[in-house]
């Protein structure tokens, strides 16, 4: 008998990844050994929920690191909630705060904190929450959400259980920012959170989490957690996660990106397990250089005209929605999404119009324009490159694929909006845009009233559309592989699926 077979046989007594009587640490070690040895058969809805997410070992990292690490974001959200958090439907629900009120025409937020404890048992007090938020709001903070929190003027402790946040300008969507993992409340210098889950064991990249008791609930409302309420989070490459799911050794692969999408078909995952989120945000090409061919709006418009959005989205999924406008809806702008001049050209005439524009530039400059496209790695990035290259070659442009962080003339942006404000869309798309657009975006940031802000946002949207500073293509591409036992999993426009709300709604 081989060593692997011997280990597999011995692990059968632990299936599914730890019995109810074993300690959390033993169950975590057992899981790690089972995964290494080839795993064991899973029973329906028995044992901890096994989740794969891209990243290194989960930890309470800095906010900047969280943004690029799906596994770390999930971990932070699970063990260190913010004032509020997102539920399975992507809606804001209580976190550390049990309730809140908004007064003074949207200029004051008052939060009453729940009777909570840190994961090490110490009581959580308003003063600690205030200190944490003040650090996040400093201009020197590496939190990527800080630029959207500049309207916060003060954060003060009113009582040991109440904090007040004063704004200099109204922000109706502030709660959605506070629900992001980047604004989780962590005890400074110790990496300790307040739940709703706590880590109980770790082996390498495998971390086991279990629900924390909620002391703010009446004794008769508290439920005793079962092994099925635990979550085992595995930080790994997407390819490993997809292979694990296809082999029925995990329950969820979450926050999948376009670069890894072809792996799902290659692994033969059942269609009923594949889910796409209707994510709100940006997917398109940002103009990263305004020199050479891209120096004029007319030439930048040729890029927008050349790309066949229908063929692009259908090459990935019939469920993926194409887009031609930067804003997906009115949001908090004073006008509907602005239409760029190139959008008035009929679909049947767009290819010809793009060819004519490129031909004019080629004649004046003595050669075909050459553009570098910064795209994500992986087979999905290659499929994207094939579509872009075919469309650009067809109009006379010579493209070159480069890595996503390399110098380029065109850079793919695939980002989910943290909140529903036109300012996020406009600021994110304005990688290299004109002075009019930048001035209007700044005017929106400092506008003293919602009406003036809405007018400035509409002006900025129109300026970016005229300038063709961004080429919208579709909604962000986010996918998950979901086992049938995860009955509470729901697609949502935040593309966010908290670990404590996979099998049932904790609220």
């Amino acid at each position: 008998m081989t060593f692997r077979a011997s280990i597999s046989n011995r692990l059968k007594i632990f299936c599914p990844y730890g019995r109810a009587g074993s300690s959390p640490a033993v169950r975590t070690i057992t899981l790690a050994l089972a995964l290494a040895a080839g795993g064991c058969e899973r029973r329906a809805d028995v044992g901890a929920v096994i989740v794969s997410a891209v990243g290194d070992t989960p930890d309470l990292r800095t906010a900047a690191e969280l943004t690029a690490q799906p596994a770390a974001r999930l971990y932070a959200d699970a063990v260190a909630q913010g004032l509020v958090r997102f539920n399975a439907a992507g809606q804001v629900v209580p976190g550390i705060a049990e309730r809140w009120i908004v007064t003074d025409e949207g200029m004051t937020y008052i939060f009453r904190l729940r009777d909570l404890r840190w994961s090490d048992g110490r009581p959580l007090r308003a003063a600690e929450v205030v200190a944490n938020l003040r650090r996040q709001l400093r201009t020197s903070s590496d939190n990527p959400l800080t630029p959207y929190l500049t309207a916060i003027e003060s954060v003060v402790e009113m009582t040991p259980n109440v904090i007040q946040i004063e704004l200099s300008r109204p922000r109706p969507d502030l709660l959605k920012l506070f629900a992001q993992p980047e604004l989780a409340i962590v005890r400074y210098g110790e990496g300790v959170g307040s739940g709703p889950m706590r880590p109980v064991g770790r082996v390498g990249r495998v971390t086991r989490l279990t629900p924390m008791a909620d002391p703010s609930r009446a004794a008769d409302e508290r439920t005793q957690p079962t092994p099925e309420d635990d979550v085992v989070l595995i930080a790994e490459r997407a390819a490993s996660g997809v292979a694990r799911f296809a082999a029925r050794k995990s329950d969820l692969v979450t926050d999948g990106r376009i670069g890894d999408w072809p792996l799902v078909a290659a692994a033969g995952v059942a269609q009923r397990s594949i889910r796409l989120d209707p994510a709100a945000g940006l997917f398109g090409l940002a103009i990263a250089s305004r020199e050479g061919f891209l120096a004029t709006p007319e030439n930048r418009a040729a890029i927008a005209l050349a790309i066949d959005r229908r063929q692009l989205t259908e090459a990935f999924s019939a469920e993926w929605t194409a887009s031609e406008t930067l804003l997906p809806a009115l949001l908090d702008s004073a006008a509907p999404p602005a239409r760029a001049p190139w959008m008035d050209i009929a679909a049947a005439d767009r290819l010809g119009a793009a060819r004519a524009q490129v031909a004019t530039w080629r004649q004046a400059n003595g050669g075909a324009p050459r553009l570098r496209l910064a795209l994500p790695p992986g087979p999905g990035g290659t499929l994207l490159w094939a579509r872009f290259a075919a469309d650009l070659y067809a109009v006379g442009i010579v493209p070159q694929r480069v890595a996503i962080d390399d110098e380029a003339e065109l850079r793919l942006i695939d980002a989910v909006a943290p909140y529903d404000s036109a300012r996020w869309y406009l600021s994110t798309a304005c990688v290299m845009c004109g002075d009019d657009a930048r001035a209007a975006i700044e005017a929106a940031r400092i506008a003293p009233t919602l009406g003036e802000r809405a007018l400035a946002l509409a002006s900025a949207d129109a300026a970016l559309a005229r300038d063709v500073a961004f080429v919208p293509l579709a909604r962000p591409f986010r996918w998950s592989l979901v086992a049938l036992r995860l009955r509470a999993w729901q697609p949502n426009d935040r593309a966010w699926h908290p670990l404590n709300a996979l099998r049932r709604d904790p609220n």
Side-chain angles (χ1 to χ4, degrees):
M1 180 181 296
T2 66
F3 174 78
R4 176 180 290 271
S6 174
I7 291 294
S8 296
N9 286 338
R10 292 179 185 180
L11 285 172
K12 287 180 181 177
I13 63 171
F14 294 104
C15 289
Y17 307 122
R19 301 165 68 108
S22 59
S23 71
V26 169
R27 293 198 295 268
T28 303
I29 294 170
T30 299
L31 171 65
L33 290 172
L35 296 175
C40 48
E41 291 300 318
R42 296 288 308 280
R43 294 200 304 264
D45 202 18
V46 177
V49 174
I50 315 299
V51 177
S52 289
V54 173
D56 300 323
T57 303
D59 206 344
L60 289 179
R61 304 167 181 231
T62 66
E65 291 175 312
L66 283 181
T67 300
Q69 292 277 351
R73 293 187 87 231
L74 282 168
Y75 180 82
D77 176 75
V79 305
Q81 61 198 327
L83 287 170
V84 293
R85 61 200 320 271
F86 291 124
N87 65 8
Q91 299 169 332
V92 172
V93 295
I96 286 176
E98 64 179 355
R99 59 182 181 270
W100 52 89
I101 59 172
V102 184
T103 64
D104 300 334
E105 298 182 338
M107 303 288 278
T108 301
Y109 285 70
I110 300 175
F111 296 89
R112 173 168 288 278
L113 307 186
R114 290 194 289 157
D115 181 16
L116 289 179
R117 293 181 178 273
W118 297 103
S119 60
D120 61 2
R122 282 177 47 187
L124 185 151
R125 294 289 181 256
E128 296 171 298
V129 177
V130 167
N132 193 286
L133 289 174
R134 285 175 176 172
R135 279 191 298 272
Q136 296 282 25
L137 295 173
R138 291 172 186 158
T139 55
S140 59
S141 168
D142 61 0
N143 192 325
L145 299 181
T146 299
Y148 304 102
L149 297 168
T150 58
I152 296 178
E153 197 166 67
S154 67
V155 182
V156 298
E157 174 190 3
M158 304 294 288
T159 75
N161 295 100
V162 176
I163 70 170
Q164 177 177 290
I165 297 178
E166 293 278 358
L167 307 182
S168 58
R169 304 173 292 276
R171 290 292 182 269
D173 268 334
L174 188 64
L175 290 176
K176 291 179 181 177
L177 285 171
F178 280 141
Q180 298 293 329
E182 288 83 356
L183 287 173
I185 304 300
V186 180
R187 203 162 70 209
Y188 184 65
E190 300 179 48
V192 176
S194 65
M197 308 186 82
R198 62 185 176 88
V200 291
R202 173 174 294 174
V203 176
R205 296 188 174 200
V206 181
T207 303
R208 191 178 189 108
L209 305 165
T210 196
M212 288 177 59
D214 185 351
S216 65
R217 292 196 173 193
D220 59 350
E221 293 180 349
R222 300 177 192 173
T223 58
Q224 191 68 24
T226 68
E228 287 72 33
D229 294 317
D230 284 4
V231 171
V232 173
L233 178 61
I234 308 172
E236 59 187 344
R237 294 181 301 113
S240 299
V242 172
R244 193 184 313 284
F245 187 91
R248 302 192 180 197
K249 296 174 184 174
S250 69
D251 302 295
L252 176 67
V253 179
T254 191
D255 203 22
R257 308 296 174 95
I258 198 164
D260 298 307
W261 172 247
L263 299 174
V264 175
V269 176
Q271 190 62 40
R272 67 176 180 273
S273 298
I274 304 171
R275 309 287 186 86
L276 260 62
D277 279 300
L282 290 174
F283 186 97
L285 294 173
I287 306 299
S289 170
R290 296 169 72 92
E291 299 178 354
F293 178 75
L294 298 179
T296 67
E298 293 78 14
N299 288 346
R300 296 192 288 272
I303 306 296
L305 292 167
I307 297 175
D308 189 321
R309 289 161 181 76
R310 183 183 61 81
Q311 288 194 8
L312 171 66
T313 55
E314 289 182 355
F316 288 87
S317 172
E319 298 179 45
W320 194 18
T321 306
S323 177
E324 292 188 344
T325 60
L326 196 158
L327 299 185
L330 183 70
L331 300 179
D332 50 353
S333 171
R339 291 178 57 84
W342 60 265
M343 292 175 62
D344 294 330
I345 300 176
D349 300 329
R350 290 183 176 182
L351 195 61
R355 283 175 176 158
Q357 189 65 35
V358 173
T360 299
W361 190 90
R362 179 193 296 228
Q363 186 174 8
N365 292 273
R370 297 178 177 273
L371 300 177
R372 292 168 294 180
L373 275 70
L375 300 176
T382 300
L383 182 55
L384 269 179
W385 162 245
R387 288 299 328 150
F388 289 150
D391 289 343
L392 294 177
Y393 271 119
V395 299
I397 295 172
V398 179
Q400 175 190 352
R401 179 183 179 179
V402 299
I404 192 66
D405 294 324
D406 287 354
E407 289 189 11
E409 284 72 44
L410 299 170
R411 188 177 310 281
L412 183 77
I413 291 181
D414 179 11
V416 175
Y419 72 129
D420 300 319
S421 172
R423 185 180 160 226
W424 178 87
Y425 286 83
L426 297 165
S427 299
T428 305
C430 186
V431 173
M432 188 75 68
C433 59
D435 293 340
D436 290 348
R438 289 187 182 279
I441 293 172
E442 177 61 14
R445 185 185 73 81
I446 63 175
T449 68
L450 291 178
E452 292 173 89
R453 176 183 171 86
L455 290 172
L457 291 171
S459 176
D461 187 26
L464 262 80
R466 289 192 306 270
D467 193 46
V468 195
F470 183 81
V471 179
L473 298 174
R475 297 178 75 103
F477 195 83
R478 294 292 181 274
W479 56 269
S480 297
L481 305 181
V482 186
L484 296 179
R485 70 184 295 216
L486 304 187
R487 296 178 294 276
W489 190 99
Q490 298 180 51
N492 61 77
D493 58 5
R494 299 269 81 86
W496 186 246
H497 308 287
L499 296 180
N500 70 318
L502 295 175
R503 289 181 60 256
R504 59 186 177 187
D505 184 354
N507 300 306

